[in-house]
Amino acid sequence: MVNTKTTASSTSNIIDLPKEERKGILVLRRCGLPISTKEPPPVYLLISGFPDPPTTFDSFVQPFEERYHVVKIGYPGMEDDELPSNAVWGYSLKQIHAALVTVLEEYRDVYHCNTIMLHGFDWGAMITLGVAHSHPHLLTKLVQQDIGQMNLAQMSRYNRAIIVSYQLFLATLFCLSRLLSFGRNVTTTVLSKVGLWAFPWFLLMKPSVLAWDMLSDNLAPHKCYPYLQIVLDNVIRERGERLRTKFAPTVPQLFAYSDPHYQYVSFFTDGYLTKLKETLHCQVKSYPGTHWLHINCQEELQRDVMDFFLKDSSVDMMATEKKEL
């Protein structure tokens, strides 16, 4: 149950939400504007991916804290030393999708926040794309960072080969870390750590100090579980058990991705870019940096996201209707 308190200078009720709270398999870290029952603020919710904890967004969200109730969410397991005993093999994309929907529904239905901006990065972007498809009514706008709609059959041979090889490699390392723990829930095996360090990451992106620091500081065998889960989705699970990530044309979207000169592998199809460009309230922009655009292109991405949030999409919709008439 949430607590409410009335401020001395105003009659508006403030919902006293904890700065950090666990909601099922997700941990929410809040900052920025408080939730008021009289005038609920717009919500900006971000979810990270592999292998980063939610603190990866700390610096990026600072300019948004004056205008938004900010919620940073780490992809489950990425901020923990180990996966819990009841999820030794990790969480499926469908599980994380359901958990995120529950959080969004609470902000919409319980706290009556009508403006909800969602920002997904890496594996988090896979989840947010799924939410936009399944529950578009819960979102006001969506930011997809570096991960979009993927279809290996529509990608180049190089893209396809690199994506399949590195994902199978990480899935294998994760499985080895489970099997070599000798019944204990421990993944710090020498074999898996050597494998993580030895992989030729330069095949995916331009070598940089930032990319190496982000990977070396955060890599751990148990964090590789999403790669096993995506293999299970594509090979074993029934259609109804998989996360669907179709394009959601009714949700205004900003897709921010790395310029091919900096990142050699694209995690989206040309068809996805075409759909975005043909949808008037959607935007596409490339940045001169690798994967972690919220860090290596921070100011530029901050500016573009803020402009995108403040832009009135209804103006675009009215312009479209007039053009059709």
Side-chain angles (χ1 to χ4, degrees), residues 91-140:
Y91 307 95
S92 71
L93 276 70
K94 201 75 179 288
Q95 280 180 286
I96 301 170
H97 167 271
L100 183 56
V101 167
T102 298
V103 172
L104 294 171
E105 287 177 334
E106 182 175 48
Y107 272 102
R108 178 76 73 178
D109 301 334
V110 178
Y111 305 138
H112 307 292
C113 298
N114 294 320
T115 301
I116 299 180
M117 313 298 196
L118 189 59
H119 182 152
F121 166 53
D122 195 80
W123 281 99
M126 289 283 289
I127 304 302
T128 56
L129 196 61
V131 171
H133 167 66
S134 64
H135 294 74
H137 61 284
L138 294 178
L139 307 182
T140 305

Side-chain angles (χ1 to χ4, degrees), residues 136-162:
H137 61 284
L138 294 178
L139 307 182
T140 305
K141 292 186 177 181
L142 172 66
V143 176
Q144 290 289 114
Q145 185 180 323
D146 213 41
I147 305 292
Q149 230 180 342
M150 294 177 62
N151 185 334
L152 291 177
Q154 298 176 11
M155 293 180 168
S156 68
R157 291 182 178 179
Y158 181 82
N159 246 33
R160 195 160 55 235
I162 295 299

Side-chain angles (χ1 to χ4, degrees), residues 45-78:
L45 192 150
L46 308 91
I47 179 168
S48 65
F50 168 84
D52 309 296
T55 52
T56 188
F57 294 122
D58 283 356
S59 178
F60 179 79
V61 300
Q62 289 179 7
F64 297 88
E65 294 177 12
E66 297 179 356
R67 292 176 176 267
Y68 298 89
H69 173 80
V70 179
V71 185
K72 296 170 289 184
I73 300 178
Y75 202 84
M78 298 302 152

